[in-house]
Structure formats: structure tokens, C-alpha cells
Amino acid sequence: MLIAVKPFRNLIFALTLAALGCHAQTPTQAPTQAADGPGKLSPELVRRVEVLIRSHASIPAGYVIQVGPRTKSEVPGFDKITVFFLSDGKASKPTEFLISTDGNTLAQFSKFDISKDPKLLVSGDGRPARGGPANAPVLIVGFDDLECPFCAKMHEQLFPALTERYKDQIHIVYRDFPLDQHPWAMRAAIDTNCVGAKSATGYWNLVDYIHAHAADLGGADKSLAKANDTLDTLTRDEGKKQNLDANALNACIAKQDDTAIKESIKLGESLGVDSTPALFINGEKVEGAQPVEDVYRMIDSALVASGQTPPPPPTKTPIQAQPQTPPATKPGN
């Protein structure tokens, strides 16, 4: 499905810079055009294409624009042509345009595959959950850092409002995304998962407590050793409350196996996550602390798309997250 038209200026400017910039590989040579052929554009039509591209994209005079022959496209009424930008005998990567069969219209389109349900973009399988069942119409997956103050704010303000409003219509899970600049976030993720592997209730109890008391875990001197000891103690205490096997839990805490956490980070990065908090609402990405009305609107849209009726608007104004506060991000982002 063709869903968007890109402005010539932005796309061609980027391609022009690509021809000028640093490359890991040598730019390809533009193919030599045949002198004639059934798909070859007339010199007059080639000139019209060149003039339009050069003027709309501000291509410098020193660049040669080479226009290839027509080939069949999948868009009714349009053929496809390939354009190269040459400088010092070297060519940019090929750029495709569409040209109407009557030769009067030049176009560029971006093509995206929307055949898959975006809800399947990121799974909640195998994670402790809150809210409705796994087959609830809306899946909310949060990439969370337990040392992130913005995650704590969202956790405190947003999720109680969502579970109260939507009840069994939403299924909420967290995936781990501890940031490098948060020294005890990885340990918190591992410890909570040690409990979560056996008890969803215990997992969420720990997550609730850590988010609510994160600023105090290292004491007044912000000691990493003290924060780690506190996390381990909290984890053991929660294990006792949930009647978990103490020896197995202690072994898990001592091992500090970060394999699953790193896999979660890799998954998040593959989805474009570089900051926390980040939510996926049936696959639609939301970054940072957002006003709860905006999140309501996105959930309502997902419910309607799945054939469900959203609940009526709340009668009281919910507590607002602070959208002006930037989320925590990885260094360099």
C-alpha cells in the first residue's frame, strides 16, 4: 500500500549528502545507458525530469543527474525510473521515482508493509502481568528502568488510572530496559525477575515498592553497595511473603544472571527504544511521561480497532504526568 509522498527537497538533499560524505564502501558507478530501447525516455522528457529535480532539491550545478529508462511499476498509471547523482565520476545510491505513463507527472512514494497486526510487534509472553487476561483486546508493554525517576512518575500516576478505567480490557507487562547511567538498575531488574519467575504478585509488589522508594535505596550517601544490599533484602522478604523456595531465590540473587535482561534491552533497541519510559499500546509507541488523556485516546483507538467499546470518559480529572519533563535516555542520545 502506498501511503506517503516524500518531498523532493528532503530526500534528494539526503542522497546528495550521502554522495559527499564518508562511506564504508566506494560509491557505485552509475550504469551506462543504452543508446536506445523501448523504455528509454526522450531527451526532452529527460530534461524536464532533470530540471524539476534540480530545482526542487537544490542540486548544485556541479552534479550530473542521470535518468534511467522506464521500467514497469506496481502503481497503476505510473512507470518507474531510476536516477543517479554523479560527482567526480562517482554516483550516489540509486533513487527511484515514478513517472506517469503520459509523462506529465513525477512522484515519489514510500512503501510500508502494514499487513501485520502491530499488536504483534512486541509480545508480553512470559512476563508477569497486570490488568486483564493475556487475550485482552489491548496489550500495553512498558520498557522500564527501576532507577529511572520518570519511569517511577509514570508508574505512580498512569497505571492506576489505566487499570481503574479499563479493567479487563488491557493487559499490562513490563520489559526491562536498565540504562547504563543508573548503577543499580540492572540488579533491580535481575532481582525482580528472580521473584517474577515464580510469582507475578511478588514481582509487581517489588516493582511498586522500588519505584516508590528508588531515591532512598542508596541512603543519604547514594551508596551503590547499600542500594544493592537493600534490593537483595527486599527481594528475599518478598519471596518469604509469596512462600517461594528460599534456596532457589538466594541462588538466583547470588548468580546475577543478566542474560534475559540483555535480551530485553536488545529487543527494545530493535524497536527504536533509546529512553525510558517507553510504552507500546498494541504496537503504537509512546515515549516519555505523557498526559493521561493522550494515552486514553490511544487505548480507545486500539479498542475500537479491535471491535470493542471504550469505557465512558472519567468523571474526575486524573493526575497528570508531566510531558515537559524529558525521559531518561542512553548516553549519546
Side-chain angles (χ1 to χ4, degrees):
M1 178 175 291
L2 297 169
I3 63 171
V5 179
K6 286 190 176 181
F8 287 167
R9 178 178 297 272
N10 292 341
L11 182 57
I12 302 301
F13 180 69
L15 290 167
T16 304
L17 289 181
L20 288 170
C22 299
H23 298 275
Q25 298 178 341
T26 302
T28 57
Q29 298 286 342
T32 302
Q33 295 189 49
D36 53 19
K40 184 175 175 60
L41 276 63
S42 69
E44 188 271 337
L45 184 53
V46 168
R47 172 147 179 88
R48 279 195 274 145
V49 170
E50 289 179 357
V51 170
L52 178 70
I53 291 175
R54 192 179 296 278
S55 61
H56 278 260
S58 299
I59 303 299
Y63 280 80
V64 175
I65 299 176
Q66 182 171 309
V67 181
R70 291 177 182 263
T71 58
K72 185 177 180 181
S73 83
E74 57 191 75
V75 182
F78 285 84
D79 295 322
K80 181 172 62 177
I81 60 173
T82 301
V83 176
F84 288 87
F85 302 89
L86 289 81
S87 177
D88 296 328
K90 295 182 179 180
S92 69
K93 292 181 180 179
T95 307
E96 290 186 352
F97 289 84
L98 296 176
I99 188 166
S100 60
T101 52
D102 62 8
N104 291 330
T105 304
L106 190 68
Q108 275 187 317
F109 293 90
S110 292
K111 180 181 175 184
F112 300 94
D113 182 2
I114 58 171
S115 61
K116 297 179 180 179
D117 184 349
K119 184 178 181 180
L120 304 178
L121 183 67
V122 54
S123 169
D125 293 349
R127 296 297 298 165
R130 267 181 170 165
N135 63 352
V138 175
L139 169 65
I140 300 176
V141 178
F143 283 85
D144 186 56
D145 177 321
L146 286 162
E147 197 175 348
C148 167
F150 309 108
C151 297
K153 181 181 295 183
M154 183 195 70
H155 184 86
E156 176 188 8
Q157 298 179 355
L158 185 61
F159 282 108
L162 295 185
T163 53
E164 179 181 353
R165 173 169 162 79
Y166 293 100
K167 299 180 173 60
D168 286 348
Q169 289 183 303
I170 59 174
H171 183 76
I172 301 169
V173 302
Y174 273 177
R175 289 194 173 276
D176 299 296
F177 203 82
L179 300 173
D180 293 338
Q181 65 263 38
H182 294 155
W184 54 259
M186 176 64 80
R187 193 177 196 94
I190 294 171
D191 282 7
T192 54
N193 282 339
C194 286
V195 172
K198 300 296 182 181
S199 171
T201 299
Y203 170 85
W204 286 109
N205 286 347
L206 268 178
V207 168
D208 289 343
Y209 187 91
I210 293 170
H211 268 318
H213 299 86
D216 305 323
L217 290 189
D221 54 350
K222 304 298 181 183
S223 165
L224 175 59
K226 186 178 296 183
N228 288 341
D229 288 344
T230 302
L231 287 167
D232 292 351
T233 299
L234 291 170
T235 302
R236 294 187 183 95
D237 289 346
E238 188 60 38
K240 292 178 183 178
K241 293 178 184 176
Q242 304 303 324
N243 296 315
L244 303 186
D245 184 309
N247 291 331
L249 182 59
N250 284 330
C252 184
I253 294 171
K255 188 176 182 181
Q256 287 297 298
D257 184 359
D258 62 3
T259 303
I261 313 301
K262 288 182 176 178
E263 289 178 357
S264 181
I265 294 171
K266 184 176 179 180
L267 172 63
E269 290 174 340
S270 73
L271 297 170
V273 175
D274 59 10
S275 64
T276 56
L279 301 179
F280 287 83
I281 300 173
N282 274 10
E284 185 173 9
K285 185 179 176 183
V286 186
E287 288 187 297
Q290 300 294 330
V292 72
E293 288 88 356
D294 291 346
V295 180
Y296 285 166
R297 176 170 41 80
M298 297 173 73
I299 295 174
D300 289 351
S301 175
L303 285 171
V304 170
S306 59
Q308 302 290 316
T309 301
T315 56
K316 60 182 180 179
T317 302
I319 299 174
Q320 295 293 317
Q322 302 299 319
Q324 71 274 17
T325 305
T329 55
K330 282 192 168 184
N333 290 304

